Amino acid sequence: MTQPIKIRNIAIIAHVDHGKTTLVDAILRQTHVHRNVAEMGERIMDSMDLERERGITIRAKNASVTYKGTKINIVDTPGHADFGGEVERTLRMVDGVLLVVDAKDGPMPQTRFVLRKALELGHKAIVVINKIDRPDAQTEDVVNRTFDLFVELGAHDDQLDFPIIYASAINGTATLDLHKPSDIIDPLLDTILEKIPSPKVDPDAPLQILVLALLADFYKGRMGIGKITAGLLKKGDNCALVKRDGKQVVAKIMSILVYEGLERTEVDEAVAGDIVAIAGFADIGIGDTITDAGNPRPLPPPQIDEPTVQMTFGTNTSPFVGKEGKFITSRVLRDRLFKELETNVSLRVKETDSPDTFLVAGRGELHLAILIEQMRREGFELQVSKPEVIFHDRDGVKSEPFEFLVVDVPAEYQGAVIEEIGRRKGLLKHMVQTPTCELHLEYQISTRGVIGLKGALMTKTRGTAIIHHVFDEYKPVEDLAFINESHGSLISAEMGTSNPYGLNNAQERGELFIGSGVEVYQGMIIGENSRPEDLELSPCKTKKLSNMRSTGSDDAIMLAPPRELTLELAIEYIGTDELVEVTPKNIRMRKKLLDPTLRKRAKKQTA
């Protein structure tokens, strides 16, 4: 095997918010990939609105830089395990990884997840200890914990001999020695050239490209992205597309794009080892192989971890349907969900007995919540149910997913946190006090126990807890008594507009989710009851004018600020008989049965 040109293909992997996208910014700026790169702001690779708002990477993206005559293809991967399908696919394109670890936090749950995937593929890792300029950095301790993680994940001797770079991505600096500061990123790029191997390819063999991502182009149609593992790709050649099921389609290569900086540039041919985007196949999909038409050699498709949770997506049936969104029918909802399957390989969609409802399974609550958020921004109105764990039958034993959970919390709230996680049958694995006097707790807990945990801990710790979790393994099903516990909701008994007088009566009975002047309908959830049963109230009730008092005295009523209702918290809060109504303008919670008489009748039937 020979390598015709100098190429390095690397993926940058890390836990959420450990600075990998900022590190990519520094590399792009200092290699001058674009003449206006200094004006592009922060997190250049985070192009989606949701990514910039949440500060996380959701979709893997490609770029390239040229350093000392060598082309370095860079893939920025998501840090959250819920987007593990993106990570698993993109790691197949590269030949090594940069593992970015925060100098204060050290290895975290998602660090464990992405590193495990890289080691399983046999990739060599360069460890980048980032944010060394932080006053609370624990650099030596983090290096030791990172080495322990490599050992725990079964890294072989060559992988354990990883180089260490000390960096401050926000300042654009990297060094091999903490005692010898640097003001440039070059030591990191030099280490990439030295330690990351060239692609193992055979340029003389028949063409082979495994499609690991898709790109939509207005003029060229759907394009497949992958690394050329063998052969030479030329524009105009007839090539075969071998589908995952073995079917073959022969078509002409209409366009070849390679990555140069942040742009995709059209070329007439591409050599083995490079990452390319190819147009010419109308029905190209992830896991397909583009190969020589006369001597087809398909590659094995990537193995993607199965979903762990599922929930129903249905058309909006509330009284406010059609007032805020453009897409409200089951046909457009179905088309949108099945179109998502083309690129979101970790997602599963099934039709149900109801033509208006679909069962959607994903890698976690956040994975599904991001899809819902994208759909509402596109103009969809829909209603979704409470997430449910997907059980598996393993060797005749009913099993459920368990997760690795990490909680960082101020010491004064440790009792409340330990009590709540203990109630959910969490198994404490490790506990240590950090130099900042916070408590660092590591647990193994069932996915059922994780659902709703974030909201509970945020309430008990006054929003100070930092919570991360990642899928760990399947184990036999546990008996969780708290699963059967139900919360009580405050439910609107009428349609209208909420006002201070009506809400004042409601807030005495629990915590409100809405403020004054909000449109409500019968069966809509307006708050959480302090008791475990549901309670119907009239938030639109007004004080009647009489000869003794006037309605104007409502101005003296003081309402507590309502709880901010995000999509994730709403999904966590609802019970099995409740739904989240999602529209482009609002997120509401409601009962599945809006009519109180029907709810009472259904409750008697299930009792």
Side-chain angles (χ1 to χ4, degrees), residues 377-553:
R377 293 185 181 210
E378 294 166 10
F380 282 85
E381 285 191 17
L382 65 154
Q383 57 191 27
V384 298
S385 69
K386 181 181 179 67
E388 296 179 351
V389 167
I390 300 174
F391 297 99
H392 285 262
D393 188 23
R394 305 211 162 188
D395 300 325
V397 179
K398 187 178 181 182
S399 303
E400 65 176 322
F402 277 70
E403 310 210 5
F404 180 71
L405 170 72
V406 170
V407 181
D408 290 293
V409 65
E412 61 263 33
Y413 298 114
Q414 65 179 14
V417 170
I418 292 172
E419 179 186 10
E420 179 63 30
I421 300 178
R423 190 173 70 90
R424 296 167 178 262
K425 297 286 185 75
L427 178 63
L428 183 63
K429 294 285 192 179
H430 183 64
M431 179 171 65
V432 66
Q433 191 168 30
T434 66
T436 56
C437 295
E438 289 186 338
L439 206 64
H440 178 83
L441 302 163
E442 296 180 0
Y443 286 89
Q444 188 183 56
I445 185 173
S446 67
T447 301
R448 286 188 296 159
V450 171
I451 295 174
L453 177 63
K454 183 177 180 180
L457 292 187
M458 284 301 179
T459 300
K460 295 189 174 188
T461 64
R462 300 187 178 182
T464 57
I466 300 174
I467 305 155
H468 298 287
H469 55 89
V470 62
F471 171 77
D472 192 18
E473 61 178 336
Y474 272 90
K475 292 177 64 177
V477 172
E478 285 191 343
D479 180 22
L480 299 181
F482 83 94
I483 291 290
N484 298 320
E485 296 177 5
S486 60
H487 61 258
S489 296
L490 301 178
I491 306 167
S492 174
E494 58 188 345
M495 178 180 283
T497 304
S498 63
N499 64 69
Y501 182 75
L503 291 178
N504 187 46
N505 292 331
Q507 76 174 358
E508 294 174 357
R509 292 162 175 80
E511 185 179 13
L512 294 177
F513 296 142
I514 66 168
S516 179
V518 176
E519 296 291 327
V520 300
Y521 54 80
Q522 186 183 48
M524 177 175 158
I525 298 171
I526 61 171
E528 181 177 5
N529 193 4
S530 56
R531 297 185 178 183
E533 65 270 1
D534 292 338
L535 180 63
E536 292 187 52
L537 298 166
S538 300
C540 312
K541 182 179 180 181
T542 58
K543 185 189 293 184
K544 302 302 180 183
L545 180 64
S546 71
N547 61 347
M548 297 297 294
R549 57 187 181 182
S550 69
T551 54
S553 60

Side-chain angles (χ1 to χ4, degrees), residues 35 154 328 393 494 557:
R35 62 182 181 180
I328 59 175
D393 188 23
E494 58 188 345
I557 293 175

Side-chain angles (χ1 to χ4, degrees), residues 107 129 138-151 162 164:
I129 307 298
Q138 311 168 61
T139 309
E140 291 185 7
D141 179 59
V142 166
V143 171
N144 293 333
R145 287 161 56 194
T146 303
F147 182 82
D148 292 343
L149 179 61
F150 272 75
V151 174
F162 53 81
I164 302 172

Side-chain angles (χ1 to χ4, degrees), residues 191-223:
T191 306
I192 291 173
L193 297 188
E194 180 185 351
K195 299 295 184 180
I196 300 298
S198 299
K200 294 180 179 179
V201 296
D202 187 354
D204 301 321
L207 178 69
Q208 283 181 311
I209 304 171
L210 181 62
V211 178
L212 294 167
L214 297 178
L215 171 68
D217 187 279
F218 185 77
Y219 297 102
K220 298 180 174 66
R222 191 192 302 179
M223 306 181 72

